[in-house]
Amino acid sequence: MQTYHNTVSGKQTEAADHQEIFNPATGDSLGLAPLNSQHDVNVAVEAARMAQGAWARVSDQERREIVANVAQVLEENSEYLAGLVTQEQGKPLSGPGSRFEMQACVGWTKVPSSLELLPETVYEDDTRKDVLYRYPLGVVAAIAPWNWPLMIAIWQIIPAIRMGNTVVLKPSEYTPIATLEMVRLINQVLPPGVLNTVSGDGRIGAVLTSHPDINKIMFTGSESTGRRIIEASSQNLAPITLELGGNDAAIIMPGTEAAAISEGLFWGAFLNAGQTCACIKRLYVHENDYDAVVTALSDVASQVPIGDGMVESNLIGPLQNAMQYNKVKELVADARANGCDVMEFGDVPSTGYFLPLTLVGNARDGQRLVDEEQFGPALPIIRYSSLDDATASANRLSDALGASVWANSLEQAETIASKLEAGTVWVNQHGAIHPMVPFGGNKASGYGVEFGMEGLKGVTQSRVISIKK
């Protein structure tokens, strides 16, 4: 059985304890991943701290070139890493799956390597000149999730090192192997200590985020864990970027042609078997269009193959873990018991954490499947009679990562979009993120943004030099 390792100071390290990782589609063992101790965290943070000063002194142009080399390493190893993601996380190789995730890793590495965050003259007159500079914060603690384990880790790693910080990354205990292997490969072109890893469950995450030598925390995951990280950060006063998921609402405006938008709606909801923070989790449909929308979505869902992602023809994989599998089953059962119309599609394998693609008709606000983020392949469809009612329903929950409006008229759609309380509101698309466009949540979906110039600013500290003329 293969044993995987953390990388600290550019070297593979041994751990005293390990956990066995299994394929959620087949139950097959994938190998042993390290389980670290508080001492291991201290060693990794010290390695990052010792490397940070020299890394910050590397010229900006040279850092950009090194990050571009990281993109090349990711490109050269994309197929290997995609295979690990499919076996460990479950998403298929094909379609918007693990190869797609690797393409995103490369893109979200190339773009920061191309950006310059130049000094900004914020004020000048005859008597004074004030220039804002941005400097690295120091050591960044990054906590990556299990749903897009490599892509979101890259979102955290690359802007941080691009701006002269060093990083200690903890992958999810559900999906550590692919992430540890990606970091091992990246370290081929990084100076030792710039990027380090530790592994384990939330207890190791708590040790890392409360460590006195951590200067910035980046976390993607649940609201409950996010709140614990905020508490942990009181030990070091580190600023935090939090992306805590969402219960994204989509509103289809009256009269919108259902067949024309059905595929976009489907993948907006069922990407990665619904295990995506910015997936459609609630669909609001005008009562006159309800039947047409359900029919159009049913037509798409009935044609999408489900199964082991290593089979090229499959486009939907399993839930990643038993906890999530049982949660989604429970929410669908609750909806069925409360009078919803549960429509299931797809031939589901008898082994693994597979669930059918599920449309839940006649759902209502206040039901668990509507009000709780399901994070799985079950979409509640809610009738509305007026756009004001639909907007109010969409805004009533505290989860506010994304939302979308679907319409024939862009002008009308933008009017409704401006009323939705979410970090990003898409029109005639959902989850369409871009490495140059800031992305983050509102309300309980977190704070701070990633991507583009704003994302680079988020991993720096500002310093104003004010000169009297």
Side-chain angles (χ1 to χ4, degrees):
M1 183 181 300
Q2 185 166 352
T3 300
Y4 295 88
H5 303 279
N6 283 295
T7 302
V8 177
S9 291
K11 299 177 181 178
Q12 298 282 277
T13 64
E14 298 295 334
D17 200 5
H18 296 83
Q19 64 169 330
E20 193 170 2
I21 303 299
F22 298 92
N23 184 325
T26 64
D28 294 341
S29 175
L30 300 177
L32 296 175
L35 288 174
N36 288 137
S37 64
Q38 181 170 346
H39 171 74
D40 297 327
V41 174
N42 292 339
V43 170
V45 172
E46 178 64 9
R49 190 185 69 81
M50 294 295 291
Q52 196 273 320
W55 179 238
R57 289 190 294 272
V58 171
S59 71
D60 191 69
Q61 180 58 37
E62 187 176 352
R63 279 204 307 270
R64 289 173 61 189
E65 291 170 359
I66 292 172
V67 172
N69 291 339
V70 170
Q72 185 175 350
V73 170
L74 292 171
E75 237 170 344
E76 292 170 350
N77 293 278
S78 283
E79 193 66 15
Y80 168 65
L81 292 172
L84 287 180
V85 170
T86 292
Q87 293 173 78
E88 184 178 41
Q89 195 279 332
K91 63 170 63 73
L93 287 168
S94 304
S98 57
R99 290 189 181 116
F100 171 83
E101 179 164 358
M102 288 311 303
Q103 291 170 1
C105 289
V106 173
W108 261 267
T109 302
K110 286 183 174 180
V111 168
S113 75
S114 71
L115 299 178
E116 287 187 276
L117 195 54
L118 299 172
E120 178 185 358
T121 300
V122 292
Y123 183 78
E124 185 172 13
D125 63 13
D126 293 337
T127 65
R128 64 184 290 163
K129 180 179 181 180
D130 299 85
V131 182
L132 186 150
Y133 296 84
R134 294 193 175 271
Y135 292 86
L137 283 157
V139 179
V140 175
I143 313 290
W146 51 259
N147 58 331
W148 294 89
L150 301 195
M151 181 180 74
I152 295 179
I154 286 294
W155 293 354
Q156 299 169 339
I157 294 165
I158 297 302
I161 66 173
R162 161 70 188 87
M163 297 310 299
N165 304 284
T166 54
V167 174
V168 179
L169 171 74
K170 189 194 88 67
S172 169
E173 63 270 31
Y174 291 109
T175 55
I177 289 175
T179 311
L180 295 179
E181 281 294 276
M182 180 179 73
V183 170
R184 177 183 66 82
L185 292 165
I186 287 174
N187 263 275
Q188 295 173 358
V189 295
L190 290 176
V194 170
L195 175 58
N196 312 274
T197 57
V198 294
S199 304
D201 60 17
R203 291 169 292 184
I204 291 301
V207 172
L208 176 61
T209 53
S210 62
H211 196 286
D213 286 334
I214 291 298
N215 307 110
K216 167 78 180 184
I217 300 168
M218 303 185 77
F219 171 75
T220 297
S222 69
E223 181 184 337
S224 59
T225 303
R227 291 183 183 278
R228 291 195 294 272
I229 286 174
I230 293 170
E231 294 172 0
S233 72
S234 67
Q235 303 300 308
N236 50 33
L237 295 180
I240 312 175
T241 298
L242 289 175
E243 197 264 85
L244 303 180
N247 195 339
D248 290 15
I251 297 174
I252 304 177
M253 294 186 67
T256 304
E257 185 182 351
I261 63 172
S262 59
E263 191 161 335
L265 282 172
F266 176 85
W267 287 112
F270 291 99
L271 176 70
N272 194 24
Q275 300 167 110
T276 299
C277 298
C279 263
I280 298 172
K281 310 284 176 44
R282 300 174 283 153
L283 181 61
Y284 291 87
V285 182
H286 191 269
E287 54 194 12
N288 293 339
D289 302 321
Y290 176 86
D291 290 339
V293 169
V294 169
T295 298
L297 282 173
S298 298
D299 289 344
V300 177
S302 63
Q303 299 175 48
V304 176
I306 303 170
D308 183 354
M310 295 300 288
V311 177
E312 293 278 354
S313 59
N314 288 328
L315 296 178
I316 295 287
L319 279 294
Q320 198 285 322
N321 54 74
M323 171 192 69
Q324 200 60 36
Y325 173 81
N326 291 326
K327 176 182 178 181
V328 177
K329 285 184 67 175
E330 179 184 336
L331 291 175
V332 172
D334 181 81
R336 182 182 279 113
N338 282 281
C340 294
D341 182 11
V342 177
M343 298 159 276
E344 297 178 340
F345 303 89
D347 296 324
V348 178
S350 58
T351 59
Y353 298 129
F354 289 95
L355 288 174
L357 299 168
T358 305
L359 302 175
V360 181
N362 298 313
R364 300 178 297 280
D365 285 353
Q367 292 180 326
R368 288 187 62 198
L369 183 62
V370 176
D371 286 15
E372 300 178 25
E373 184 186 13
Q374 67 273 42
F375 219 65
L379 177 65
I381 305 173
I382 304 148
R383 300 176 193 257
Y384 72 85
S385 56
S386 77
L387 280 170
D388 286 343
D389 289 343
T391 304
S393 291
N395 287 338
R396 71 187 179 86
L397 300 179
S398 61
D399 298 310
L401 182 61
S404 59
V405 181
W406 302 73
N408 297 327
S409 166
L410 293 182
E411 183 178 353
Q412 292 177 344
E414 288 181 45
T415 299
I416 298 301
S418 68
K419 298 178 181 179
L420 292 176
E421 299 166 358
T424 302
V425 182
W426 292 280
V427 174
N428 289 340
Q429 56 184 355
H430 197 102
I433 55 176
H434 188 281
M436 279 300 295
V437 179
F439 178 70
N442 290 174
K443 298 193 285 189
S445 285
Y447 48 76
V449 297
E450 300 172 281
F451 311 164
M453 299 299 286
E454 294 303 311
L456 293 184
K457 292 176 184 178
V459 290
T460 64
Q461 54 187 327
S462 60
R463 185 182 306 168
V464 171
I465 295 180
S466 182
I467 301 169
K468 181 180 178 181
K469 293 183 176 179

